[in-house]
C-alpha cells in the first residue's frame, strides 16, 4: 500500500464529496487485490494500517483532539464506499466505530480526552464481547489484587481484534458486568484466526484468550442497563452491518457488469450475440442494480438518523425509535443484498460460477452478515413494539 493521507490534510473539507475525492484512491487500492486475498486467505493487515495512517479511523474524533471532526452520516456514507470495495476491511472496523461514538457521548473528562487523543494518533480498537457458551452469561473474569486489576477468559467472534492496538471486551466480577479496554499486544493476549464461517472470512472474527492481562482502573466501566445511550449503540451496531451488506450488493453489481461487458456470446443463442446488448441480460442487471440502490438508500437513511442523534443535545429522535427503525431496515436491506448477490449469476450461465471469478463470495458474505443478528428475532421485536408499545432492548443488545 502506497497511498497515504494525513488527517490534517482533510481540513477544512469535511463534506462527503471532498472526503470521497480524497479517500477514493486509497479505497480503490484496497479493492485491487481483494480476490487474491480471498483466494489465499491473506489477512488485510497492510490495508488496515493504510486506513489508520490516512486518518480514516479518526475522522469522527473532534478537531480539538486531532481528528477530522466529520459528521457521523458523512463518515458512514464514506464507510459504505469502502465496503463496496472490500466488505471484510469495512466490517472489521465495526467495534472501533462504536467505541469512538461511545466516547463522543461521554461527558468531558480525562478518560474521554485520553482515548480521543489516542485514536487521533491512529490507535485502532477491536471488539471482543461474545463468548461460545451454552448461555449468554459472561465468564471472562475481572480480578482485583490490591489496587491492580487483571482480566482472564476466552472470547469468540472477536471481529477486528487481530488487527487492533486495543481491545474492548466484556468481563464479570462479583455478579456485575463491566466493559474494559486492554492492550492487544500484551503477552497475556492470544488471538487466533480461527473464524470458520463461509463468508467475511478475513474479518479476524475468531477466538481470543486472555491470561491475567492488566487493566487500567480508569478503563473499567460498569455496564448500566439504564444507560440512556444503549439504544443508540445497538442501532449503530446494526447500522454498520446494513452498510456492509449494502456495500456487498454494490460490489456484486460492479463485478457482474465487469463480467458481462467483454463477453461475446449469450447463453443458448446460436452465433455471436453480444450479452451486453441482450434484453434479458439488461433486465437482470437493471433489476439487481435497483435492489442494490434500494438497500443503500435504506441503510443511509438509518445512518442519517443516527447522525442526528449523535449531533443533537436535545435528542430530536429517541434511542428507542432508532433501534426500531434499524430493525425495520434490517428486514429489507439484508434480503435485498442477498437477492442481488444471487441474481447476478443469471447473466452468464455456468461460466459465472467459475472459481476464478469468485462471484460466489458476494452471496457468502451477504448471507454471513445477515446471520450475525437473525432478522426474524428483530421482526418480532418491531411487531411487539407496534402492537403492545413495549420494547425489550436487552434481548437484542448487539
Amino acid at each position: 500500500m502506497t497511498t497515504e493521507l494525513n488527517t490534517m490534510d482533510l481540513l477544512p473539507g469535511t463534506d462527503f464529496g471532498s472526503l470521497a475525492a480524497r479517500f477514493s484512491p486509497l479505497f480503490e487500492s484496497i479493492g485491487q487485490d481483494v480476490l487474491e486475498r480471498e483466494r489465499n486467505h491473506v489477512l488485510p493487515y497492510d490495508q488496515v494500517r493504510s486506513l489508520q495512517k490516512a486518518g480514516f479511523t479518526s475522522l469522527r474524533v473532534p478537531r480539538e483532539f486531532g481528528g477530522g471532526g466529520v459528521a457521523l452520516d458523512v463518515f458512514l456514507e464514506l464507510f459504505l464506499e469502502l465496503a463496496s470495495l472490500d466488505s471484510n476491511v469495512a466490517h472489521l472496523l465495526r467495534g472501533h466505530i462504536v467505541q469512538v461514538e461511545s466516547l463522543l457521548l461521554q461527558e468531558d473528562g480525562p478518560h474521554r480526552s485520553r482515548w480521543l487523543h489516542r485514536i487521533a494518533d491512529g490507535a485502532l480498537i477491536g471488539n471482543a464481547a461474545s463468548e461460545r457458551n451454552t448461555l449468554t452469561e459472561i465468564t471472562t473474569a475481572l480480578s482485583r489484587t490490591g489496587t491492580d486489576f487483571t482480566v482472564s477468559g476466552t472470547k469468540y467472534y472477536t471481529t477486528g481484534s487481530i488487527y487492533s492496538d486495543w481491545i474492548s471486551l466484556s468481563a464479570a466480577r462479583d455478579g456485575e458486568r463491566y466493559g474494559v479496554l486492554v492492550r492487544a499486544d500484551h503477552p497475556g493476549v492470544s488471538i487466533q484466526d480461527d473464524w470458520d464461517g463461509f463468508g467475511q472470512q478475513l474479518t479476524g472474527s475468531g477466538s481470543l484468550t486472555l491470561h491475567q492481562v492488566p487493566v487500567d482502573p480508569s478503563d473499567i466501566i460498569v455496564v448500566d442497563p439504564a444507560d440512556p445511550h444503549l439504544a443508540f449503540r445497538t442501532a449503530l451496531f446494526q447500522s454498520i452491518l446494513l452498510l456492509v451488506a449494502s456495500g456487498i450488493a454494490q460490489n456484486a453489481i460492479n463485478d457482474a457488469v465487469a463480467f458481462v461487458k467483454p463477453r461475446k456470446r449469450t447463453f443458448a443463442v446460436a452465433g455471436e450475440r453480444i450479452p451486453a446488448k441482450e434484453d434479458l441480460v439488461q433486465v437482470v442487471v437493471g433489476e439487481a442494480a435497483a435492489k442494490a440502490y434500494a438497500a443503500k438508500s435504506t441503510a443511509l437513511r438509518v445512518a442519517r438518523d443516527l447522525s442526528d442523534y449523535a449531533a443533537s443535545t436535545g435528542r430530536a429522535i429517541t434511542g428507542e425509535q432508532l433501534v426500531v427503525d434499524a430493525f425495520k431496515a434490517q428486514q429489507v436491506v439484508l434480503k435485498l443484498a442477498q437477492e442481488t448477490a444471487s441474481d447476478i449469476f443469471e447473466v452468464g450461465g455456468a461460466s459465472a460460477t467459475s472459481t476464478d471469478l469468485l462471484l460466489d463470495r458476494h452471496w457468502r458474505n451477504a448471507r454471513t452478515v445477515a446471520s450475525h443478528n437473525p432478522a426474524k428475532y428483530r421482526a418480532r421485536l418491531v411487531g411487539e413494539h407496534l402492537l403492545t408499545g413495549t420494547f425489550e432492548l436487552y434481548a437484542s443488545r448487539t
Side-chain angles (χ1 to χ4, degrees):
M1 306 298 298
T2 57
T3 305
E4 292 185 10
L5 302 172
N6 182 284
T7 307
M8 297 307 293
D9 292 338
L10 297 173
L11 306 177
T14 56
D15 60 284
F16 176 76
S18 299
L19 291 170
R22 291 175 180 269
F23 277 99
S24 286
L26 175 57
F27 292 171
E28 289 170 6
S29 69
I30 288 173
Q32 284 176 357
D33 301 323
V34 68
L35 291 183
E36 179 182 349
R37 292 196 296 274
E38 184 88 11
R39 289 192 190 100
N40 301 309
H41 198 85
V42 177
L43 297 180
Y45 288 107
D46 291 342
Q47 289 71 24
V48 174
R49 293 292 173 261
S50 71
L51 290 170
Q52 291 175 265
K53 291 178 181 178
F56 180 76
T57 54
S58 61
L59 281 177
R60 280 286 292 147
V61 175
R63 297 184 185 188
E64 59 265 33
F65 296 99
V70 172
L72 181 57
D73 58 337
V74 173
F75 172 75
L76 290 178
E77 187 171 1
L78 201 64
F79 173 84
L80 191 154
E81 295 302 307
L82 172 62
S84 72
L85 290 162
D86 190 324
S87 62
N88 283 270
V89 170
H91 189 171
L92 66 86
L93 298 174
R94 186 173 179 239
H96 176 86
I97 293 169
V98 175
Q99 189 67 34
V100 172
E101 295 306 315
S102 296
L103 288 166
L104 293 176
L105 289 170
Q106 289 181 13
E107 295 183 1
D108 290 335
H111 178 269
R112 180 178 186 270
S113 177
R114 181 173 71 255
W115 277 101
L116 289 177
H117 278 299
R118 280 177 177 168
I119 294 166
D121 288 340
L124 186 69
I125 303 172
N127 183 52
S130 301
E131 300 180 8
R132 269 186 161 177
N133 300 325
T134 304
L135 302 176
T136 57
E137 64 189 80
I138 298 299
T139 62
T140 299
L142 178 66
S143 303
R144 178 174 182 173
T145 303
T147 59
D148 297 328
F149 289 87
T150 61
V151 64
S152 299
T154 301
K155 296 292 186 179
Y156 198 67
Y157 304 118
T158 59
T159 302
S161 291
I162 200 169
Y163 305 98
S164 300
D165 306 293
W166 296 83
I167 303 170
S168 172
L169 53 91
S170 56
R173 179 172 180 266
D174 297 333
E176 194 83 53
R177 184 172 175 177
Y178 297 87
V180 302
L181 286 152
V182 299
R183 291 197 65 93
D185 61 358
H186 187 273
V189 176
S190 176
I191 306 174
Q192 303 298 318
D193 178 31
D194 56 0
W195 161 238
D196 62 356
F198 59 62
Q200 296 297 91
Q201 295 177 346
L202 306 180
T203 56
S205 300
S207 59
L208 178 151
T209 302
L210 307 116
H211 180 65
Q212 297 184 349
V213 180
V215 183
D216 187 322
S218 65
D219 292 330
I220 301 172
I221 299 175
V222 178
V223 175
D224 181 7
D227 181 351
H229 301 306
L230 176 60
F232 167 82
R233 289 194 294 273
T234 300
L236 179 59
F237 265 122
Q238 186 59 59
S239 176
I240 293 168
L241 292 179
L242 300 183
L243 293 164
V244 170
S246 301
I248 292 169
Q250 185 58 57
N251 203 353
I253 293 298
N254 294 342
D255 276 1
V257 170
F259 171 74
V260 169
K261 277 188 172 181
R263 289 178 62 78
K264 300 297 184 183
R265 184 174 68 86
T266 299
F267 171 74
V269 176
E272 183 175 291
R273 185 128 175 218
I274 306 300
K277 297 181 179 180
E278 172 64 39
D279 291 350
L280 291 179
V281 174
Q282 291 173 350
V283 168
V284 169
V285 172
E287 289 181 344
K291 292 177 181 179
Y293 174 80
K296 176 179 179 178
S297 299
T298 304
L300 288 178
R301 174 53 197 263
V302 177
R304 287 195 295 272
D305 288 342
L306 287 164
S307 188
D308 288 345
Y309 180 97
S312 173
T313 55
R315 309 297 173 206
I317 184 170
T318 66
E320 182 176 288
Q321 190 60 51
L322 280 175
V323 178
V324 171
D325 289 346
F327 288 0
K328 290 177 186 175
Q330 183 183 9
Q331 310 305 310
V332 178
V333 172
L334 298 182
K335 183 180 296 184
L336 289 173
Q338 291 172 78
E339 289 180 358
T340 302
S342 180
D343 289 350
I344 62 171
F345 288 95
E346 301 296 335
V347 303
S351 57
T353 66
S354 168
T355 55
D356 286 338
L357 297 173
L358 277 181
L359 292 179
D360 62 301
R361 80 186 191 280
H362 298 306
W363 184 87
R364 289 187 288 104
N365 289 338
R367 180 63 261 182
T368 300
V369 169
S371 298
H372 192 289
N373 299 128
K376 294 296 184 183
Y377 287 96
R378 286 0 190 349
R380 189 201 66 77
L381 290 169
V382 172
E384 179 185 37
H385 172 73
L386 292 173
L387 293 170
T388 69
T390 61
F391 192 76
E392 196 67 37
L393 180 58
Y394 253 83
S396 55
R397 184 185 348 225
T398 62

